[in-house]
Every structure is written in structure tokens, then in C-alpha cells.
Amino acid sequence: MSDSPLLAPGASELFQLLRDGSPRTRAELAKSTGLARSTIAARVDELMRMGLVTAVADKVSTGGRPPSQFALNPAAKVVIAADLGASHATVAISDLAGTVLAESSERIDIADGPDAVLGWLLDGARRLLADVGRDDASVAAIGIGVPGPVEHSSGRPSNPPIMPGWDRFDIPGWLQEHIAVPVLVDNDVNMMALGERAGAWPSVDNLLFVKIATGIGAGLVSDGHLQRGAQGVAGDIGHVHVARGGDVPCTCGNRGCLEALASGPAIARNLRGIGVEAHTASDVVELVKRGNVEAIQAVRQAGRDIGEVLTTCVSLVNPSMIAIGGSMARVGEHLIAGVREVVYARSAPLATAHLSIVQSATGAEAGVLGAGMLAVEHALSHDVLASSPVRV
Amino acid sequence: MSDSPLLAPGASELFQLLRDGSPRTRAELAKSTGLARSTIAARVDELMRMGLVTAVADKVSTGGRPPSQFALNPAAKVVIAADLGASHATVAISDLAGTVLAESSERIDIADGPDAVLGWLLDGARRLLADVGRDDASVAAIGIGVPGPVEHSSGRPSNPPIMPGWDRFDIPGWLQEHIAVPVLVDNDVNMMALGERAGAWPSVDNLLFVKIATGIGAGLVSDGHLQRGAQGVAGDIGHVHVARGGDVPCTCGNRGCLEALASGPAIARNLRGIGVEAHTASDVVELVKRGNVEAIQAVRQAGRDIGEVLTTCVSLVNPSMIAIGGSMARVGEHLIAGVREVVYARSAPLATAHLSIVQSATGAEAGVLGAGMLAVEHALSHDVLASSPVRV
């Protein structure tokens, strides 16, 4: 997913072959990658010394010859994965196959700033490491999703509107003073898109993940690759003006934005306007689950507003799936019905002929799954494999 | 640009190194690609036998040793590039560096169907080949842009609305009965996006090319790759509903589409509505060039309507450049001023901080440049290099 320019030639091919867990011979690895036998031998030896790859016994005895097949050892290392939201955070420990070994969630306030929040993250991760019988030395990489734009190359938040004190803060640098491993930071919705795809739809190459919660944003996977855009702010669809938007003020300073109409707090505000008591996304979800007609209507209309923006997205990038996630997605079909109503009515037939619009299958796990996956991919493809010099 | 799954391992890296025209040694090629020396030697020998690669004399004499540096020979082969529009077509002969050697344009009617139009294309290409002293045997590949959606893998138009008789027609098969080389077919706007990037902005990795002519469509390059989407209809933004659209009927069967308001014929119709004689995009361009105020105002408003749709596109994919092309782009700054007015007013500051909105620099050449480039890339990366077996 992360196409690093520093990747050693052929390293990513080798990784892609090994990470499926199937054992392969050196000759198979050389044939599949086109790499020189000497390069393969050097890499495999180094990976074995590090414990990342293990020798696998042949099915048929080779009469005393050394084992000739190799496979990834998912237990060799772990990664720390974290999903930091505005008011809620999750930290987890995953193995190299992306399986979550331990996880904990807590209410936080991202506005407490980096020292407090990253301190919480580090303490939590170390407790979880101890729970699964590991320590700092077992950690291969750290992946973190944050609720704002991130300069992907440096891991620094870039003018994040709801993260006071975090602008340009060196998140990797802070963590590496404690655990000296690669730290991957990305926008939380990008992480959710990666997690949703890896966890639920690995064969979907054109996926638009839409998070609807306190804010609204999207993560875009096109042709199998996460798209971050020129400034790393691809997917920031919450501030598109919608027809029903009028002069409704938005937190961004503009008026009539999608987020000002269809986010959790916006729906709650609209409900209060007609005398229904609701303050948060959770309140709205509760009302819908209890069958409150006004809440159901408000959610359906929010779905239509979101659908209006998604219609243009569908026309531009032609995804085969839109997955709706975030805390508001828990209201279920009423929201998605509104989205479908507009997208299917307004898009060109060819773009929607094979388009599925579904509720996120990974739910609250999407972000932490994606953060773990990004950390695993980076650890295995870049820092480990690229550190093995190519000898040809 | 075309990531073929059939590509021999390492072939695309070798090609990327050679196509810049700089000479390199076998050792440099091996080091840069990580491929085995035996693989490099086999490929280079085969490429030399085919004349695609030539030996280059060392700067310093090597005392009788065989020449050790190699470079692409752009004159070894040519490609046929064609840009088929609804009513106008261009065919060209390019060398392997993408330089156009000969070109001719003519009025056609795409509705005459594949036999007539492809017959014209083949005759024209053969005349141009003769003009530059080549023949069918010199042709390495053919690239064709057509004004409708294309199933990229098969090169067949897929429900093209303005190409009667072409649906599912096997364009590659028809041409290959005459010239047996790979034929790459793609949507004309995708070709224009590739041509604009290659011809004018090779370092721009996130480019949105917007064609405004009889229809309106876009070609999207993200992270350096052309995005075709799940069904190959990415960029089909002409049928998004716009605020000013109301009930204006569109040729697609829907109402209020961007194309029904801001395409060349739509602007001409709006002008006729206020008593200004105009029928085609060219008429509108002429009126604007003569300083007709109503035409300037109509074009500016069309720019705003297009800007409304592009605002969502900018938010979703965060390009660093939008290039406006197609016949309507010849009106110059009035159209682009309308686009800029809305995009800069309505997009999030981070997405527009480094966004340029410019007139296409390759103009009417964009399509044929892109078709030539796709043909060259395919010829050099896939069929030639992959036919050289990998021996490790």
C-alpha cells in the first residue's frame, strides 16, 4: 500500500510472496521475482536470522539436505496500532499477519495535546504488550490514525482543525524516543479505508470508505492503492457545499457544507430544532433504534445529502463499493437508504451497474485494523527487506 | 501507466531506465533493477537483435573491448496514434520517444460505424507511414482514443452513448487483421490526460484533465497513474446534477446535468435563448474572441457550473493541477476564471493552497499524444520485454 521510493529493488515482490504465509523455495522466489539467486539467498538468510522467516520442512523427505522452503513467521514480531479520534481512542497489538492479539479503548480528548495523548498511547501499548508476553523489543513498527490531515512523508499533522497543539508536531520523533521503530501516521479515515478493505473486502480494488461521525470524511482506494492526493488531503469531502446547505454555518468558516447538515451533531441540532432532545451522534442512534420517526426522517435526509456529494465522487472515480462507517453508521439501513436513493437516481447507469453501497463490515475496528496493516506492510517491505543489501 | 499483470518480472524497471535515452552498462541495469546479470544480458541481447536498443561507444576507449553501454533507439520502430472524436479525427505516426513524425486530421462522423471509421484510420496511417519512409512492418503498436467508455482489457467500447454501431465492437481485432500488433484503446479524455501530462507536466503526479467540448468529461491521474475505475468509466463527470440545472433535459435522459448547461452546444443554446446567434462550440469561441459581452458572460457562468462539480472532485482526490482542454478551452481565460472563482471559494484551504487551474498546454494535440504514449509504453514494456524469457 505504501510505495516507498527507498524500497530495495524487488523487495516488495518478495514480501508480497511471503506474506500470504505459503512456504516457497529459493528457486520459486527467484523465478517469481526475477531477482538474482544471490540476492534471494542473502535476503532469506537475513530474514531467518531476524526470525521473520522460518524454514518449513518439505512434504517429501530430502534425505538429510537442509530445509528448502521458507515462509513468513507471523509471531516473529508485533506492531502497535492506534486509532485516535477526537474523543475516543483505541490501541492494539497485532502480529505480522495483522491479527489483533490484544486491544483496549478509552475516552480521551485529542485537544489535551500530543504529550498527554501519546503518553496514554505508549502506556496502553506497553500494558497490552505485557498482557501478551511481549516487550518493546518485539515491536517492529507503530501505526497511528489521527483525526486530521497528515503529511504522510513526515508523519506530522498538517493544519488539523480539531487537534489544537498538534500542528506540525513530530509524532514519530516523540514515540521513537521511547521505542525506536518506524512510526506510520495517517489520517484516521485513510486508516479506516485500509482496514475495511483488508478486513472485509480484500478483492475490492476501487473502494470509497465514508466515515460519518462528528465529522464527515472519505478514504479512497483506487486500483488497489490508497490515494492521498497532492497535499495528503484527498477524501476531505465534509466541506463540499450541498443543495440544502443554504447559509448554515460550518465549523470550517464556510456555509452550507455537507458536515454542517449531515454529521452526527448536525442531525442532533436539526432534531432539537423540531423539539426532539438529542445532542450527540449516539443520541441520534438511540432515537432511531427506538423507532423515533423524526430521527429516522432526519437520518434518511442526511443520507440523501451525503448521497448528493457521493454522486459526484462515483462519477469521478467509479468505485465498485462504497462502505459507510463511523459512529453514525450504527443507525443501520435508514442512513444508507438515503445515500442509495440519491446515488442510484443521479449517477450514470454504467457507474452504478455494479456498485454496492454497504455498511462498514469492520465497524469500530476499521481504524485500528488499518493502522496495524500499514505498520506491518512498512515493517516488512521497507525497513526489514531494504536493510538487506542487494548483491548481484 | 498501463500496469499489465502479464509483465515479466523487472521488465518495467528495465524499460523505465532505458526509455529516458541515457546510455547505461549491464552492471548499472542489474544494480538498478535488482535483476540477475543473466536476465539483463538475455534481455539486452534480444532488444539489440530487434534493434530497439543500440550499443553506445564509451566516452573513454576500452582498448578493443566490446561496447558496454546501451540505450533505447527511438527510431527502431514507430507507433500509430489516433484520436477519434464525434465529428473530427486525427491520426499520427510517432517514434518510440513519443515524438510525432507525421500527422493528419479530418472531419469524420463517428456514427458512420467502425468499418468506415477504422478504414479511414488505417488508410490514413498507411499514407503517413509512406510519407515518413516506413511501412506496416515498422509499427510496434497502435493507440486509439474514442469518444465513449471502453473496457480497457478488451479494447471494446462499452455502451457508448454517441457511437452507434460500436457497442462491444472488437476494435483491436479489426485492426489486427491488417497490422498484427498490440492495439490499445481507451476513452479519448483518458488519452488526453495522459498526453497533457507527458507533453506538458511530466512531474505532476496528481492531475485532473477536464475536456469541455460537445460533451464534458475528465481524465484522472492520481499518484502518477491513470485511474480508470471499476468499470472503466472514471472521469464521467458530465452528468452530475448542478445547482443551476433545474429541469433542463440532458441527452443522457436525466435532467439538470452539467453537460446540459455548460457544454459548447448548451452555451450556444443559452445564447440563442437571449437572441445571440450561435450553434456550435466554435461559434461561441468566435463570439468571445470578438468581445461579445453576452457570450463572455455565458462562458463565465459555464465555468462556474463546471467549478461547482470540480470543487467536489478537488475535495475527493486533491490534485495539484486541473488542466482545462477540449474545443471550448480555446475561449481562453473567461471560462477558466469562472472555474477558479468557484473552486477557490468553495474548497478547503489545504486542498487549494498549491492547486493550479490552467488551460491545457497541449491543446488539440493532447489526445493523439496520449494515444501515442500509451502505445509506446505498451510496446516497450509488455510485448517486447515480456517476450524475452527470464532465465535465473
Side-chain angles (χ1 to χ4, degrees):
Chain A
M1 210 59 52
S2 147
D3 290 331
S4 168
L6 298 172
L7 206 66
S12 87
E13 290 93 328
L14 190 62
F15 164 63
Q16 289 302 333
L17 287 170
L18 287 171
R19 74 186 297 247
D20 71 0
S22 296
R24 285 180 181 77
T25 64
R26 287 192 191 88
E28 284 167 346
L29 290 169
K31 189 175 174 194
S32 302
T33 59
L35 293 171
R37 280 192 180 216
S38 54
T39 307
I40 295 287
R43 290 236 172 93
V44 167
D45 285 353
E46 183 153 347
L47 291 169
M48 284 183 68
R49 272 199 305 278
M50 301 174 79
L52 289 169
V53 160
T54 46
V56 177
D58 284 339
K59 275 166 291 186
V60 180
S61 165
T62 52
R65 279 163 49 204
S68 61
Q69 292 202 89
F70 305 91
L72 184 70
N73 172 18
K77 288 271 186 180
V78 295
V79 299
I80 297 171
D83 179 21
L84 304 181
S87 59
H88 191 263
T90 302
V91 60
I93 308 296
S94 300
D95 70 14
L96 295 180
T99 307
V100 173
L101 306 175
E103 183 180 300
S104 87
S105 289
E106 213 169 297
R107 293 198 69 80
I108 63 155
D109 186 352
I110 198 83
D112 288 344
D115 280 320
V117 173
L118 296 179
W120 169 86
L121 190 165
L122 186 66
D123 289 348
R126 281 177 165 159
R127 265 195 304 276
L128 293 174
L129 282 170
D131 289 350
V132 298
R134 301 299 190 100
D135 59 22
D136 288 5
S138 320
V139 178
I142 302 174
I144 305 177
V146 301
V150 175
E151 184 182 79
H152 184 65
S153 57
S154 69
R156 291 169 189 261
S158 180
N159 292 305
I162 62 162
M163 296 174 71
W166 291 79
D167 188 27
R168 304 291 310 155
F169 185 83
D170 183 8
I171 298 176
W174 192 99
L175 283 164
Q176 282 162 346
E177 283 191 14
H178 302 275
I179 305 183
V181 296
V183 177
L184 290 297
V185 187
D186 208 329
N187 175 263
D188 57 349
V189 192
N190 284 348
M191 292 296 197
M192 292 168 89
L194 291 176
E196 176 76 8
R197 179 167 181 254
W201 325 99
S203 65
V204 172
D205 281 344
N206 294 276
L207 171 74
L208 185 61
F209 183 93
V210 183
K211 177 190 175 184
I212 305 161
T214 306
I216 295 178
L220 174 63
V221 175
S222 287
D223 206 12
H225 297 274
L226 182 71
Q227 301 299 332
R228 296 186 173 90
Q231 310 295 319
V233 295
D236 192 10
I237 60 169
H239 302 285
V240 170
H241 188 270
V242 289
R244 209 169 59 94
D247 278 339
V248 178
C250 182
T251 52
C252 74
N254 223 322
R255 287 172 181 277
C257 300
L258 175 63
E259 197 167 293
L261 264 83
S263 65
I267 298 172
R269 192 194 58 232
N270 294 343
L271 285 172
R272 287 198 305 279
I274 55 170
V276 179
E277 203 53 34
H279 293 273
T280 64
S282 293
D283 294 344
V284 177
V285 172
E286 273 313 300
L287 284 165
V288 169
K289 294 210 162 159
R290 290 209 309 268
N292 179 289
V293 175
E294 287 85 358
I296 290 172
Q297 286 172 338
V299 160
R300 176 93 178 207
Q301 182 56 48
R304 290 190 198 104
D305 296 331
I306 295 161
E308 180 185 328
V309 174
L310 292 185
T311 299
T312 307
C313 299
V314 165
S315 299
L316 181 64
V317 297
N318 181 208
S320 60
M321 180 175 283
I322 297 176
I324 308 282
S327 58
M328 278 305 298
R330 290 181 293 125
V331 298
E333 285 299 314
H334 298 294
L335 183 73
I336 292 175
V339 172
R340 287 197 188 112
E341 184 183 322
V342 174
V343 170
Y344 288 120
R346 287 292 340 170
S347 303
L350 264 174
T352 51
H354 303 278
L355 173 67
S356 303
I357 304 177
V358 301
Q359 189 166 352
S360 162
T362 54
E365 293 294 289
V368 83
L369 276 176
M373 217 198 71
L374 200 63
V376 166
E377 289 232 343
H378 186 87
L380 289 183
S381 65
H382 171 78
D383 286 272
V384 175
L385 298 182
S387 71
S388 168
V390 182
R391 298 177 200 93
V392 286
Chain B
M1 212 58 54
S2 146
D3 289 332
S4 167
L6 299 172
L7 206 66
S12 88
E13 289 93 327
L14 190 61
F15 164 64
Q16 289 302 333
L17 287 170
L18 286 171
R19 73 186 297 245
D20 70 1
S22 296
R24 286 183 180 76
T25 64
R26 287 191 191 89
E28 284 168 345
L29 290 169
K31 190 176 174 192
S32 302
T33 59
L35 293 171
R37 279 190 180 217
S38 54
T39 308
I40 295 288
R43 291 236 171 92
V44 168
D45 285 353
E46 184 152 347
L47 292 169
M48 285 184 68
R49 270 200 305 279
M50 300 175 80
L52 289 170
V53 160
T54 47
V56 178
D58 284 340
K59 275 167 290 187
V60 179
S61 164
T62 53
R65 278 162 50 202
S68 62
Q69 292 201 89
F70 306 90
L72 184 70
N73 173 18
K77 288 272 185 179
V78 295
V79 299
I80 298 171
D83 180 19
L84 304 180
S87 59
H88 191 263
T90 302
V91 60
I93 308 297
S94 301
D95 70 12
L96 295 180
T99 307
V100 173
L101 306 175
E103 183 179 299
S104 88
S105 289
E106 212 169 301
R107 293 198 68 81
I108 63 154
D109 186 353
I110 198 83
D112 287 344
D115 281 319
V117 173
L118 296 178
W120 169 86
L121 190 165
L122 186 66
D123 291 348
R126 281 176 167 159
R127 265 196 304 276
L128 294 173
L129 282 169
D131 289 350
V132 298
R134 301 297 190 100
D135 59 20
D136 288 6
S138 320
V139 177
I142 302 174
I144 305 177
V146 300
V150 176
E151 184 183 80
H152 184 65
S153 57
S154 69
R156 292 169 188 262
S158 179
N159 293 303
I162 61 163
M163 298 174 68
W166 291 79
D167 188 28
R168 304 290 312 156
F169 185 82
D170 183 9
I171 297 176
W174 193 99
L175 284 164
Q176 282 161 346
E177 283 190 12
H178 303 275
I179 305 182
V181 296
V183 178
L184 290 297
V185 187
D186 209 330
N187 175 263
D188 58 348
V189 192
N190 283 348
M191 291 297 196
M192 293 168 89
L194 291 176
E196 176 76 9
R197 179 165 181 253
W201 326 99
S203 65
V204 172
D205 281 343
N206 294 275
L207 171 74
L208 185 62
F209 182 93
V210 183
K211 176 189 177 186
I212 305 162
T214 306
I216 295 179
L220 174 64
V221 175
S222 287
D223 205 13
H225 297 273
L226 181 71
Q227 301 299 333
R228 296 187 173 90
Q231 309 295 319
V233 295
D236 191 11
I237 61 170
H239 302 285
V240 170
H241 189 271
V242 289
R244 207 169 60 93
D247 278 339
V248 178
C250 181
T251 52
C252 74
N254 223 324
R255 288 172 179 275
C257 299
L258 175 64
E259 197 167 292
L261 264 83
S263 65
I267 298 172
R269 193 194 56 231
N270 293 342
L271 285 171
R272 287 198 305 280
I274 55 169
V276 179
E277 203 53 32
H279 293 273
T280 64
S282 293
D283 294 343
V284 176
V285 172
E286 272 314 298
L287 284 166
V288 169
K289 294 212 162 160
R290 291 209 310 269
N292 179 289
V293 174
E294 287 85 359
I296 290 173
Q297 288 173 337
V299 160
R300 176 94 178 205
Q301 181 56 47
R304 290 190 197 105
D305 296 331
I306 294 161
E308 180 185 328
V309 173
L310 293 185
T311 298
T312 307
C313 299
V314 165
S315 300
L316 181 65
V317 296
N318 182 208
S320 61
M321 179 175 282
I322 297 176
I324 308 282
S327 58
M328 278 305 299
R330 290 182 292 125
V331 297
E333 285 298 315
H334 299 294
L335 183 71
I336 293 176
V339 173
R340 287 196 188 112
E341 185 183 323
V342 174
V343 170
Y344 288 121
R346 289 293 339 172
S347 302
L350 264 174
T352 52
H354 303 277
L355 173 67
S356 304
I357 303 177
V358 302
Q359 189 166 351
S360 162
T362 53
E365 293 294 289
V368 82
L369 276 177
M373 216 197 73
L374 200 63
V376 166
E377 288 232 344
H378 186 86
L380 289 183
S381 66
H382 171 77
D383 286 273
V384 176
L385 298 182
S387 71
S388 167
V390 183
R391 298 178 199 91
V392 287

